[in-house]
Coordinates of all heavy atoms in Angstrom, one line a residue:
F35 N -4.9 25.2 23.0 CA -4.9 23.8 23.5 C -6.1 23.1 23.1 O -6.1 21.8 23.2 CB -4.8 23.9 25.1 CG -3.4 24.3 25.6 CD1 -3.2 25.5 26.2 CD2 -2.3 23.5 25.4 CE1 -2.0 25.9 26.7 CE2 -1.1 23.8 25.8 CZ -0.9 25.1 26.5
C38 N -5.1 20.7 20.5 CA -4.0 19.8 20.8 C -4.4 18.4 21.0 O -5.5 18.1 21.5 CB -3.2 20.4 22.0 SG -2.4 21.9 21.6
V53 N 13.4 23.8 27.5 CA 12.9 22.4 27.8 C 13.0 21.7 26.5 O 12.4 22.1 25.4 CB 11.4 22.5 28.3 CG1 10.9 21.0 28.4 CG2 11.3 23.2 29.6
I55 N 12.1 18.3 24.4 CA 11.1 17.2 24.4 C 11.3 16.4 23.2 O 11.3 17.0 22.1 CB 9.7 17.7 24.6 CG1 9.5 18.6 25.8 CG2 8.7 16.5 24.6 CD1 8.2 19.2 26.0
Y70 N 3.8 22.5 18.0 CA 3.4 22.5 19.4 C 2.9 23.8 19.8 O 3.1 24.8 19.1 CB 4.6 22.1 20.3 CG 5.7 23.1 20.3 CD1 5.7 24.1 21.3 CD2 6.7 23.2 19.4 CE1 6.7 25.0 21.4 CE2 7.7 24.1 19.5 CZ 7.7 25.1 20.5 OH 8.6 26.0 20.5
Y71 N 2.2 23.9 20.9 CA 1.7 25.1 21.5 C 2.1 25.0 23.0 O 1.9 24.0 23.7 CB 0.1 25.1 21.4 CG -0.5 26.4 21.9 CD1 -0.5 27.6 21.1 CD2 -1.0 26.5 23.2 CE1 -1.0 28.7 21.5 CE2 -1.6 27.7 23.6 CZ -1.6 28.8 22.8 OH -2.1 30.0 23.2
A72 N 2.8 26.1 23.4 CA 3.3 26.1 24.8 C 2.9 27.4 25.5 O 2.9 28.4 24.9 CB 4.8 25.9 24.8
K73 N 2.7 27.2 26.8 CA 2.4 28.4 27.7 C 3.0 28.2 29.0 O 2.8 27.1 29.7 CB 0.9 28.5 27.8 CG 0.4 29.7 28.6 CD -1.1 29.8 28.6 CE -1.5 31.0 29.4 NZ -3.0 31.1 29.5
L79 N 5.1 24.7 32.9 CA 5.0 24.8 31.4 C 4.0 23.8 30.9 O 4.0 22.6 31.1 CB 6.4 24.4 30.8 CG 6.5 24.5 29.3 CD1 6.3 25.9 28.8 CD2 7.8 23.9 28.8
Y80 N 3.0 24.4 30.2 CA 1.9 23.6 29.6 C 2.3 23.4 28.1 O 2.6 24.4 27.4 CB 0.6 24.3 29.7 CG 0.1 24.4 31.1 CD1 0.3 25.6 31.9 CD2 -0.7 23.4 31.7 CE1 -0.1 25.7 33.2 CE2 -1.1 23.5 33.0 CZ -0.8 24.7 33.7 OH -1.3 24.8 35.0
V81 N 2.3 22.2 27.6 CA 2.6 21.9 26.3 C 1.6 21.1 25.6 O 1.1 20.1 26.2 CB 4.0 21.2 26.2 CG1 4.4 20.9 24.7 CG2 5.1 21.9 26.9
G82 N 1.2 21.4 24.4 CA 0.3 20.6 23.6 C 0.8 20.4 22.2 O 1.6 21.2 21.7
F83 N 0.5 19.3 21.6 CA 1.0 18.9 20.3 C -0.1 18.7 19.3 O -1.2 18.3 19.7 CB 1.9 17.6 20.4 CG 3.0 17.7 21.3 CD1 3.0 17.3 22.6 CD2 4.2 18.3 20.9 CE1 4.0 17.4 23.5 CE2 5.3 18.5 21.8 CZ 5.2 18.0 23.1
I99 N 11.8 18.8 19.9 CA 11.6 20.2 20.0 C 12.4 20.8 21.2 O 12.6 20.1 22.1 CB 10.2 20.6 20.0 CG1 9.5 20.0 21.2 CG2 9.4 20.2 18.7 CD1 8.1 20.6 21.5
I101 N 11.9 24.1 23.6 CA 11.0 25.3 24.0 C 11.7 26.2 24.9 O 12.1 25.8 26.0 CB 9.7 24.8 24.7 CG1 9.0 23.7 23.8 CG2 8.8 25.9 25.0 CD1 7.9 23.0 24.5
V110 N 6.2 20.2 34.1 CA 5.8 20.2 32.7 C 4.5 19.4 32.5 O 4.5 18.2 32.9 CB 6.9 19.7 31.7 CG1 6.4 19.7 30.3 CG2 8.2 20.5 31.9
I111 N 3.5 20.0 31.9 CA 2.2 19.3 31.8 C 1.8 19.2 30.3 O 1.9 20.2 29.6 CB 1.1 20.1 32.6 CG1 1.4 20.0 34.1 CG2 -0.3 19.5 32.3 CD1 0.4 20.7 35.0
L112 N 1.5 18.0 29.9 CA 1.0 17.8 28.6 C -0.5 18.0 28.6 O -1.2 17.4 29.4 CB 1.3 16.3 28.1 CG 0.7 15.9 26.8 CD1 1.4 16.7 25.7 CD2 1.0 14.4 26.6
K113 N -0.9 19.0 27.8 CA -2.3 19.5 27.9 C -3.0 19.3 26.5 O -2.5 19.6 25.5 CB -2.4 20.9 28.3 CG -3.7 21.5 28.5 CD -3.7 22.8 29.1 CE -5.1 23.3 29.2 NZ -5.3 24.4 30.2
T114 N -4.3 18.7 26.6 CA -5.1 18.7 25.4 C -6.4 19.5 25.8 O -6.4 20.2 26.8 CB -5.5 17.2 25.1 OG1 -6.2 16.7 26.1 CG2 -4.3 16.4 24.8

Side-chain angles (χ1 to χ4, degrees):
F35 289 112
C38 292
V53 175
I55 304 173
Y70 70 92
Y71 185 79
K73 182 177 181 183
L79 179 66
Y80 295 93
V81 182
F83 300 98
I99 61 169
I101 303 168
V110 177
I111 294 180
L112 178 62
K113 185 172 179 162
T114 63

